[in-house]
């Protein structure tokens, strides 16, 4: 992509992965440590299978050790907890990722809390969430972390800027807001969600809009001000009979409608998605390096 308006997540993520590759070689050579990442996938969710597959491929590319445990849909909480414990104890594993969502009969919070927070490379454990909020060292959730890297590497200054985050999930919206509140980013953050009245009144005043609500083409051109920066976290399947699969992926932003007005925008696919994987690798590398909790 050669258009300076487009924030090319595919390109930026490949640059980050190259940097990680160099550090992995160094870690292997100097300390004899290979970063190790364990994936746990429960059930048959097709999107989850695709995500775990892509993450496993990234491990291979970057010289990480990785292992994937695939468990059936009817796996009990106890069996899953035992599997997590095994990885908690395994010295070759520096990161554990339980792919979400989990089947309904499993208590997600109980599972996340069972992961040793020092191996919680997703940054979902309450210890890491609390540390993010209070400013202590922690794993930063991969998608928000990827978005701050996209902004930084595209020379978008966040200091004093009005940032509107649309969506309040534990995976994106909430950690995104807390990350941008940190001194390091210094933004003024507003979080909008499904019960917000008149979202447009907020987005019209935003310098940066981060949309993570899971609603195809929600953000329109008449909802934004000139020269704003738009980050689209959406990944929606919409029916498209011209495609072999019968669907195409589209974001939460009406890209065509917003393109002329904004100063920068991320495409879908090829924007935020590849960054999430790159930052997962970065978190795992840092865990293997012993960098994250070395001030405990
Ligand atoms: N499901 C959707 N996104 C994520 C993620 O970043 N991590 C995990 N573990 N599950 C997810």
């Amino acid at each position: 992509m050669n258009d300076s308006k487009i924030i090319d997540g595919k390109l930026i993520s490949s640059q980050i992965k190259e940097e990680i590759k160099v550090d992995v070689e160094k870690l292997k050579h100097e300390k004899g440590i290979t970063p190790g990442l364990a994936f746990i996938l429960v059930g048959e969710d097709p999107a989850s299978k695709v995500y775990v597959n892509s993450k496993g491929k990234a491990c291979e590319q970057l010289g990480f050790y990785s292992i994937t445990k695939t468990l059936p849909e009817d796996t009990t909480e106890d069996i899953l907890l035992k599997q997590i414990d095994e990885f908690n104890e395994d010295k070759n594993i520096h990161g554990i990722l339980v792919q979400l969502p989990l089947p309904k009969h499993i208590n997600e919070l109980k599972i996340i809390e069972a992961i040793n927070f020092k191996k919680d490379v997703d940054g979902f454990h309450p210890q890491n969430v609390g540390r993010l909020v209070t400013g202590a060292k922690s794993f930063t959730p991969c998608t928000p972390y990827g978005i701050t890297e996209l902004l930084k590497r595209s020379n978008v200054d966040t200091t004093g800027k009005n940032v509107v985050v649309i969506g309040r999930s534990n995976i994106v919206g909430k950690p995104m807001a807390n990350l941008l509140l940190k001194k390091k980013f210094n933004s003024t953050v507003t979080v909008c969600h499904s019960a917000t009245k008149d979202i447009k009144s907020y987005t019209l005043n935003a310098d940066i809009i981060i949309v993570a609500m899971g609603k195809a083409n929600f953000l329109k051109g008449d909802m934004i001000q000139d020269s704003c920066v738009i980050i689209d976290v959406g990944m929606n399947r919409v029916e498209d009979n011209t495609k072999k699969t019968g669907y195409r992926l589209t974001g939460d932003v009406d890209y065509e409608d917003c393109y002329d007005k904004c100063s920068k925008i991320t495409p879908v696919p090829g924007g935020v998605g590849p960054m999430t994987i790159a930052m997962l690798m970065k978190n795992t590398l840092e865990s293997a390096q012993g960098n994250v909790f070395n001030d405990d």
Side-chain angles (χ1 to χ4, degrees):
M1 272 176 266
N2 231 341
D3 180 338
S4 63
K5 241 188 200 194
I6 298 173
I7 300 178
D8 188 344
K10 212 167 158 194
L11 178 71
I12 296 172
S13 67
S14 64
Q15 287 162 351
I16 292 172
K17 286 200 270 190
E18 284 309 312
E19 294 162 15
I20 294 172
K21 229 176 187 173
V22 173
D23 286 347
V24 170
E25 280 317 305
K26 208 167 146 204
L27 188 64
K28 283 182 181 173
H29 187 72
E30 289 176 1
K31 294 199 176 152
I33 297 172
T34 300
L37 180 50
F39 301 101
I40 304 177
L41 175 63
V42 187
E44 299 293 327
D45 182 67
S48 291
K49 279 186 186 173
V50 173
Y51 290 142
V52 170
N53 211 358
S54 308
K55 290 167 187 173
K57 272 196 195 135
C59 286
E60 236 174 80
Q61 269 177 9
L62 303 188
F64 286 41
Y65 163 68
S66 83
I67 178 166
T68 301
K69 281 278 169 191
T70 308
L71 301 171
E73 182 82 21
D74 61 357
T75 299
T76 61
E77 228 169 59
D78 272 356
I79 288 181
L80 184 51
L81 289 169
K82 276 205 187 86
Q83 184 58 67
I84 290 170
D85 240 11
E86 218 176 273
F87 288 138
N88 279 340
E89 298 302 318
D90 189 336
K91 297 263 182 301
N92 295 317
I93 295 297
H94 306 96
I96 301 169
L97 184 145
V98 179
Q99 187 65 30
L100 304 176
L102 288 167
K104 296 236 171 340
H105 65 277
I106 295 175
N107 180 334
E108 212 158 88
L109 180 60
K110 196 168 164 188
I111 298 304
I112 292 169
E113 283 185 325
I115 299 170
N116 178 344
F117 73 92
K118 296 187 176 183
K119 296 188 177 189
D120 167 40
V121 285
D122 263 327
F124 296 163
H125 189 288
Q127 268 279 356
N128 283 309
V129 176
R131 282 167 174 258
L132 175 66
V133 174
T134 53
K137 274 190 175 183
S138 69
F139 288 115
T140 306
C142 306
T143 301
Y145 191 5
I147 291 170
T148 56
E149 281 300 308
L150 282 180
L151 294 172
K152 209 156 76 184
R153 290 172 190 244
S154 307
N155 299 313
V156 176
D157 186 17
T158 52
T159 302
K161 297 291 168 66
N162 287 336
V163 181
V164 170
V165 177
I166 310 180
R168 56 174 155 181
S169 70
N170 290 337
I171 294 180
V172 185
K174 277 190 261 184
M176 186 77 252
N178 282 304
L179 189 56
L180 289 169
L181 278 176
K182 278 187 150 187
K183 278 261 161 63
K184 194 156 103 169
F185 298 108
N186 255 334
S187 303
T188 303
V189 184
T190 304
V191 182
C192 296
H193 50 79
S194 53
T196 302
K197 284 183 206 150
D198 194 10
I199 290 184
K200 185 175 167 179
S201 66
Y202 297 93
T203 52
L204 275 176
N205 199 33
D207 303 305
I208 302 169
I209 307 172
I210 300 168
V211 199
M213 63 195 307
K215 217 173 183 182
N217 300 318
F218 172 81
L219 190 77
K220 305 285 183 197
D222 69 353
M223 296 171 73
I224 64 173
Q225 64 174 341
D226 279 348
S227 303
C228 70
V229 174
I230 300 176
I231 306 290
D232 189 350
V233 190
M235 190 63 90
N236 309 291
R237 284 180 179 199
V238 295
E239 206 177 308
D240 186 341
N241 291 328
T242 67
K243 302 275 178 202
K244 245 199 303 196
T245 49
Y247 68 85
R248 71 189 144 81
L249 287 178
T250 199
D252 290 350
V253 175
D254 189 331
Y255 186 89
E256 308 296 330
D257 206 36
C258 293
Y259 184 86
D260 285 338
K261 230 180 191 182
C262 70
S263 63
K264 288 186 192 293
I265 188 163
T266 59
V268 176
V272 174
M275 292 299 291
T276 299
I277 298 186
M279 303 331 287
L280 172 68
M281 297 296 120
K282 176 88 176 160
N283 277 346
T284 307
L285 168 67
E286 292 209 35
S287 181
Q289 287 168 326
N291 286 344
V292 187
F293 297 103
N294 61 5
D295 58 347
D296 280 351

